[in-house]
Amino acid sequence: GYFEMENGIKLAHKFIADFPNDARFIQLAYDIAETYENQGRTDDAVNAYKDFTNMGYHDGVMKEEESMKVDDFRQLLMSAYYKIGQMELGRKNYSDAIEIWNKYISLFPDGPNWADAQQGITNTEYQIGFDLLAQNRYDEAIASWNKFIEKYPFDYRSTPILFAFGQIKYYLAEQAEKNKQENDAKTKYQEAITEWSKLVSKYPNIEQSSLALFRIGQIYEEKLFDFDKALESYRKLTWGSWYGQAQQRIREMTEKKLELATERIFRTNEPAKIKL
């Protein structure tokens, strides 16, 4: 139970303090951190793993007959560094996660989690943008993701990032529209078109650019009322699952229609007016 675990940890700490020259203290220090981790006590685990990484072999425990060898300590050290990064990521301490994984990469080029640490850094830098987005910090999210694209130009996540840029501008345009800020809304819709056009230009013939080009057509048709450019956009869309809807829009926009409509509901005792 909880009290047995706490007593065990206290005894381990006491052993480490009383016998600093006994190599077993290293394994005990690691076990303390791992116990906290297994109990889901992340804050305590991170602190304990950090304490472990600040330990080191000193003269008293470097004797050949000691049970803990230098290589064993190094294995535990690599594991501690990597785990700290994972837990810091879980706590959304992104800069701390990146910092500790960079240390891992630098110190342990032959480490079993070297590639995972590298990937962890990339994933963390990508995740930062989403967190900024969730906090409505749109300019910072865009800046963060621009850095990501610049640093990892061939990463597959460049395409969802470019799509998100257009989506951010579209959302801001909708907000401006709701607030009756017509000029600002028009500007933001144009910016959404610009962002999605970059995606279509850079990554043609993929699913995300199919949707992006369809959305461009929609903005021209429904928001900016530029029907020529709307048709031009729909006609350019020749791939992906949005091709069919683009064709439907082309048909509807180019068919000749005659419609009769009333501007409002009229009472029976007043003359009705119709609009052709």
Side-chain angles (χ1 to χ4, degrees):
Y2 175 81
F3 292 109
E4 287 91 343
M5 183 194 74
E6 284 297 314
N7 284 332
I9 288 170
K10 278 180 186 174
L11 286 170
H13 277 303
K14 188 173 187 312
F15 181 92
I16 291 166
D18 291 347
F19 304 102
N21 292 334
D22 190 315
R24 286 173 294 181
F25 86 89
I26 292 169
Q27 183 67 57
L28 277 173
Y30 185 89
D31 290 344
I32 288 168
E34 196 167 49
T35 301
Y36 283 136
E37 183 189 2
N38 292 338
Q39 290 289 322
R41 292 168 62 177
T42 305
D43 293 349
D44 291 328
V46 168
N47 290 332
Y49 278 125
K50 282 181 179 177
D51 288 343
F52 179 81
T53 62
N54 290 327
M55 285 180 173
Y57 263 83
H58 47 84
D59 292 340
V61 293
M62 286 294 280
K63 296 171 186 171
E64 193 62 37
E65 65 268 16
E66 295 289 2
S67 59
M68 171 66 77
K69 301 293 188 292
V70 175
D71 187 55
D72 296 328
F73 174 56
R74 193 168 179 271
Q75 293 296 322
L76 292 179
L77 198 57
M78 287 190 283
S79 175
Y81 270 105
Y82 183 68
K83 285 183 173 188
I84 291 168
Q86 285 183 307
M87 285 185 282
E88 292 291 31
L89 176 61
R91 297 198 297 181
K92 298 191 176 183
N93 294 336
Y94 298 127
S95 58
D96 292 334
I98 290 168
E99 183 185 356
I100 200 81
W101 276 330
N102 269 321
K103 278 185 184 175
Y104 185 106
I105 288 163
S106 172
L107 291 170
F108 312 115
D110 58 338
N113 293 112
W114 190 92
D116 297 325
Q118 188 74 60
Q119 191 61 50
I121 291 169
T122 311
N123 293 346
T124 303
E125 289 172 339
Y126 180 60
Q127 183 61 39
I128 288 168
F130 282 107
D131 267 46
L132 291 167
L133 204 60
Q135 297 167 44
N136 301 328
R137 293 158 67 183
Y138 302 111
D139 290 341
E140 291 172 77
I142 290 167
S144 175
W145 273 333
N146 269 324
K147 278 185 192 173
F148 182 92
I149 291 171
E150 193 178 323
K151 191 173 176 182
Y152 310 107
F154 303 110
D155 193 285
Y156 69 94
R157 286 164 290 199
S158 292
T159 48
I161 286 172
L162 289 174
F163 187 86
F165 286 166
Q167 194 66 35
I168 290 167
K169 299 296 184 183
Y170 188 88
Y171 170 77
L172 293 173
E174 283 186 316
Q175 296 307 301
E177 201 171 28
K178 283 178 187 173
N179 296 327
K180 310 295 183 189
Q181 298 165 330
E182 290 179 14
N183 288 336
D184 191 36
K186 189 175 180 182
T187 301
K188 289 288 189 290
Y189 281 127
Q190 288 284 5
E191 288 173 1
I193 288 170
T194 301
E195 295 297 344
W196 278 328
S197 295
K198 287 177 191 173
L199 171 61
V200 173
S201 173
K202 195 169 182 181
Y203 300 102
N205 304 315
I206 66 166
E207 189 60 27
Q208 278 159 320
S209 61
S210 174
L211 174 56
L213 189 49
F214 183 78
R215 297 291 294 276
I216 289 169
Q218 276 188 312
I219 292 173
Y220 277 130
E221 180 188 358
E222 298 170 8
K223 303 296 183 180
L224 303 179
F225 307 111
D226 189 333
F227 302 115
D228 289 338
K229 284 190 177 176
L231 273 172
E232 185 185 331
S233 300
Y234 292 138
R235 283 172 175 151
K236 280 181 185 173
L237 181 45
T238 57
W239 72 92
S241 59
W242 294 88
Y243 166 75
Q245 291 202 48
Q247 291 299 303
Q248 180 66 26
R249 295 308 311 133
I250 292 166
R251 282 193 295 274
E252 289 185 9
M253 289 180 74
T254 52
E255 280 176 1
K256 289 181 180 177
K257 287 186 178 180
L258 190 66
E259 282 187 1
L260 284 175
T262 58
E263 291 179 339
R264 62 184 175 83
I265 297 170
F266 292 91
R267 297 174 186 274
T268 51
N269 65 345
E270 62 179 340
K273 291 182 181 178
I274 57 169
K275 194 174 185 180
L276 181 63

